[in-house]
Amino acid sequence: MNKVTVLNENDLRKILTMEETIAAVEEAYKQKELNKAFVLPMIFHEFEAGVADMDIKAGVMPEIERYGLKVVSWFKDNPAKNLPALFGTTLLFDSKTGAPCSLLDAEYITGMRTGAAGAIGAKYLAKKMAKTLLIIGSGQQAFFQIAAYLTVFDSISDIFIFDPLDANKANAFVTNLATPLESLLAKNPTKKVSLKNTNVSAVTDLAQTLEKSDLVATVTPATTPIIKAKWVKKGTHFSCIGADISGKEEIDPQIFKDAIIIVDDLQQAITVGETERPIKEGVIKKADITGEIGALITGKVAGRTTDDAITIFDSTGIALQDLAVSNLALKIATKENIGQTVFL
């Protein structure tokens, strides 16, 4: 029989820190660029259009002797059945034997690795000493974005929260943010971070807020642009997170026209990411994309060239992020005897 470690959300909350998650995701991007890790084709299936679907992201990471996949299912009517609308499960395997190693709840890992991705894009593309961060969206992912940005940037003094549908949700998010965020940030092993020197506020005037925002993270399921090109000031960095299936779109395609564009995976970005619409509308060509984030991290391509440049990181989400963070969680769980063990 083979030993498999099962880790639920509570286990993962004990195990994962944002600082270590960022390091794991950044290393995964590097491994992909160096052809030491590989993304497999994504599978998406709609059981019923607009009602129920699933997607599967898979990858191989020989350097850490792992391969695996994440299955995410969305069933719109589940809340009426007292069930979550979204379920996510990750399976991790030993790449030397094919034996399953771990079964993990994917929701918390997805939140952490996605937050990490947005901040990594900003780390390599934004102006140095960026002071102001605007989050578009006030769902759970906004929480992880803030945790990651504060871990990466010591210079942030103001964070603005804008909800495109309901200003009350942005206010509630700000009101309830401090305690869980401080708890997560306090776990960072070396980078001690606090909200003490950062003002977080809900905003309602998006155009006015963009005039004073150095960093913008978009984390909504929007299918029409929320941010217009005419509102964007010189030097702004965008980490576009929400677009992960065809048709989603958060920022005006015209913003891409003169921007420096970096993506996590080129094929995914042009088919299901924020980059999809600008290419389809002829605003940019595939050749206008500077490269993938791994190439930027390893120095194969240049990022920001001037303080006035507009930069975009299109993060569609790749399986290697999930596998790297899942493996990190498994290592810590094994060391600290956390989780349940089953034998298959």
Side-chain angles (χ1 to χ4, degrees), residues 144-156:
F144 293 109
Q145 291 291 321
I146 292 172
Y149 273 87
L150 289 178
T151 298
V152 169
F153 290 89
D154 296 323
S155 54
I156 294 176

Side-chain angles (χ1 to χ4, degrees), residues 43-47 52-56 71-75:
I43 295 172
F44 175 75
H45 177 72
E46 281 190 306
F47 300 103
D53 61 49
M54 68 132 191
D55 67 72
I56 302 173
V71 183
V72 176
S73 303
W74 176 73
F75 282 68

Side-chain angles (χ1 to χ4, degrees), residues 23 35 47-48 80 82-83 86 93 112 115-116 151 170 179 184 203 239 251 257-258 264 280 295 326:
N35 289 317
F47 300 103
E48 185 178 351
N82 293 317
L83 292 170
L86 198 72
F93 297 84
M112 290 285 282
T151 298
T179 300
L184 175 58
V203 297
S239 282
I251 69 175
K257 188 174 183 180
D258 298 310
D264 57 0
K280 283 185 175 178
S326 295

Side-chain angles (χ1 to χ4, degrees), residues 138 161 163 166-178 180 201-202:
S138 59
I161 308 297
D163 190 296
D166 188 345
N168 290 328
K169 287 185 178 179
N171 287 321
F173 178 87
V174 172
T175 299
N176 298 313
L177 175 67
S201 59

